[in-house]
Amino acid sequence: MAENHPLELLVQALRRLPGVGVKSAQRMAYHLLQHDREGALHLAQALQHACAEVRHCALCHTFTEDDVCATCRDPRRDHSQLCVVENPADLAAMERTGAYKGLYFVLMGKLSPLDDVGPRDIGLQKLFDRVDAPAGGEAGAEREVREVILATNFTAEGETTAHVIAQGLKARGVNVTRLARGVPVGSELEYVDLGTIAHALVDRR
Amino acid sequence: MAENHPLELLVQALRRLPGVGVKSAQRMAYHLLQHDREGALHLAQALQHACAEVRHCALCHTFTEDDVCATCRDPRRDHSQLCVVENPADLAAMERTGAYKGLYFVLMGKLSPLDDVGPRDIGLQKLFDRVDAPAGGEAGAEREVREVILATNFTAEGETTAHVIAQGLKARGVNVTRLARGVPVGSELEYVDLGTIAHALVDRR
Ligand SMILES: [Zn+2]
Ligand SMILES: [Zn+2]
């Protein structure tokens, strides 16, 4: 098939999706053209719409259609707490618990030295600026943020990210906490991995 | 996140791609919006372009921009041979061998009774009409197609499909052959599965 054939161009475009190799791109293209052209056009529109409308919240950096997202604007939330998560899915997970009423900062990534992802790539300076911002935006006023809760994932990369952020924030004299590691609710010790039990023992309260 | 948020709509649209669940749709949407908006817009365009331009060849049913594809129009090819394949990727595989100079018929699917995919869904009647078509399109002339080579996959579904097609074509008095089953070139018998060896024995020549 010629390289500039619309079908071939579609396969190439689909390959830019993360986790999609040439075989699955081909299967996707065939499926859409054979069985779901409506879905294909719908997807095209959704892509264009999202690219045109979705930006980053000026305060928490999550995806939003507004300059400042609804969560950051919510006066009923505790503006003195800032929960740092890796991405919007983690923010959604925190929200589903219903246990947190503060604000967020979404890193949109994590430190990953092996993949050459450094502090600049995930905008740590933006987080530090956010924490340093005075209450009400008035110069000279005290910080609005009193506590930063690190809720990056409990993976090697998430832990590294949490560690680096904690260093930067402690130098600023901000109160930094980390989600507790421990035994998942509803699990039997017998089936919990040893590292988790060891951490739960150290973090006992 | 609100259900009509452009990001949420994009995640839903991505889920219509085959093999994409909610987790990967989310990862794709984040990736595109965070790191590759150019790729997202490029994909949108490729989808629209393909939907507008790609149709089925009137003769072989494969994807093409023309009424009749370049292969079917090629006067240097043997128009008396018709090779039946499941999809355009299989056609491409046959072409790469350089060993076949006839024409094709692309089923764009396979019979799959368990998934409720019957003869009508994969357009078997179109294949039979194609085989019955008189040479040069002149009524009363003899058939152009002298031999139909069944090159559906050697899976349960591909074999079923080949069997059903063979029945229909034999009733029409057409010469039907099947790609030979056998030991792959370059392989050692010790490592070839038993079913393949058994078939190679039966089909020995
Ligand atoms: Zn926000
Ligand atoms: Zn054709």
Side-chain angles (χ1 to χ4, degrees):
Chain A
M1 192 169 297
E3 275 175 28
N4 59 352
H5 190 287
L7 174 59
E8 189 48 39
L9 293 174
L10 175 56
V11 171
Q12 284 163 24
L14 284 164
R15 288 200 59 188
R16 285 175 79 156
L17 294 171
V20 175
V22 64
K23 277 280 168 196
S24 19
Q26 224 170 39
R27 208 176 61 238
M28 287 171 176
Y30 293 164
H31 171 82
L32 291 175
L33 289 172
Q34 182 69 7
H35 300 292
D36 195 13
R37 290 192 182 214
E38 195 199 338
L41 294 174
H42 183 76
L43 174 55
Q45 229 171 21
L47 286 162
Q48 286 163 338
H49 188 54
C51 284
E53 299 295 330
V54 176
R55 67 191 84 174
H56 292 287
C57 171
L59 289 180
C60 75
H61 211 217
T62 198
F63 289 127
T64 176
E65 294 163 86
D66 308 307
D67 288 336
V68 173
C69 77
T71 307
C72 287
R73 278 186 277 120
D74 189 342
R76 289 162 305 176
R77 300 194 73 119
D78 183 348
H79 285 226
S80 76
Q81 286 187 321
L82 200 64
C83 177
V84 177
V85 292
E86 291 181 17
N87 57 55
D90 298 333
L91 187 159
M94 286 292 294
E95 283 295 283
R96 278 197 298 276
T97 68
Y100 180 66
K101 295 297 175 203
L103 299 185
Y104 291 94
F105 189 90
V106 184
L107 295 169
M108 292 289 180
K110 58 196 171 223
L111 290 178
S112 181
L114 291 179
D115 300 323
D116 209 24
V117 178
R120 213 168 299 170
D121 298 300
I122 64 169
L124 285 196
Q125 191 54 51
K126 255 190 112 158
L127 167 60
F128 296 150
D129 292 347
R130 171 74 180 91
V131 170
D132 285 337
E138 289 169 40
E142 278 190 43
R143 280 198 186 106
E144 188 169 51
V145 176
R146 299 275 171 195
E147 180 186 4
V148 174
I149 301 161
L150 300 176
T152 54
N153 289 319
F154 286 78
T155 59
E157 292 165 340
E159 295 281 20
T160 304
T161 307
H163 180 76
V164 171
I165 294 173
Q167 297 295 313
L169 290 177
K170 276 173 189 157
R172 285 172 163 74
V174 181
N175 185 19
V176 183
T177 57
R178 177 89 168 109
L179 286 191
R181 289 169 296 201
V183 180
V185 174
S187 54
E188 296 175 61
L189 278 187
E190 187 179 350
Y191 302 108
V192 174
D193 76 284
L194 299 181
T196 298
I197 295 179
H199 278 305
L201 191 62
V202 172
D203 293 352
R204 70 188 183 278
R205 31 169 239 162
Chain B
M1 194 168 298
E3 274 176 26
N4 59 353
H5 190 285
L7 174 59
E8 189 48 38
L9 293 174
L10 175 57
V11 171
Q12 284 163 24
L14 285 164
R15 288 199 59 189
R16 286 176 77 155
L17 293 170
V20 174
V22 65
K23 277 278 169 197
S24 18
Q26 222 170 41
R27 207 176 61 237
M28 286 172 176
Y30 293 164
H31 172 82
L32 290 174
L33 289 173
Q34 181 70 6
H35 300 293
D36 195 14
R37 291 192 180 213
E38 195 198 340
L41 294 174
H42 183 75
L43 174 55
Q45 228 170 22
L47 286 162
Q48 286 163 338
H49 188 53
C51 284
E53 298 294 331
V54 176
R55 66 190 86 173
H56 293 287
C57 171
L59 289 180
C60 74
H61 211 216
T62 198
F63 289 127
T64 176
E65 292 164 88
D66 308 306
D67 288 337
V68 173
C69 77
T71 306
C72 287
R73 279 185 278 121
D74 190 342
R76 289 162 306 177
R77 301 194 73 118
D78 183 346
H79 286 226
S80 75
Q81 286 188 322
L82 200 65
C83 176
V84 177
V85 293
E86 289 181 18
N87 58 55
D90 298 332
L91 187 158
M94 286 292 294
E95 284 295 283
R96 277 196 298 275
T97 68
Y100 180 67
K101 296 297 176 203
L103 300 185
Y104 290 95
F105 189 89
V106 184
L107 295 170
M108 293 290 181
K110 59 197 170 220
L111 291 178
S112 181
L114 290 180
D115 300 324
D116 210 24
V117 178
R120 213 169 298 170
D121 299 300
I122 63 167
L124 285 196
Q125 191 54 49
K126 254 190 112 158
L127 166 60
F128 296 151
D129 292 346
R130 170 76 180 90
V131 170
D132 285 337
E138 290 168 39
E142 278 190 41
R143 279 196 186 109
E144 188 170 51
V145 176
R146 298 277 171 193
E147 180 186 4
V148 174
I149 301 160
L150 301 176
T152 52
N153 288 319
F154 287 76
T155 58
E157 291 165 341
E159 296 281 19
T160 304
T161 307
H163 180 74
V164 171
I165 293 174
Q167 298 295 313
L169 291 177
K170 276 173 189 158
R172 285 170 162 76
V174 181
N175 185 18
V176 183
T177 58
R178 177 89 168 110
L179 286 191
R181 290 170 295 201
V183 179
V185 173
S187 54
E188 297 174 60
L189 278 188
E190 187 179 349
Y191 303 108
V192 174
D193 75 285
L194 299 181
T196 298
I197 295 179
H199 277 304
L201 191 64
V202 173
D203 293 351
R204 71 188 181 279
R205 29 168 244 162

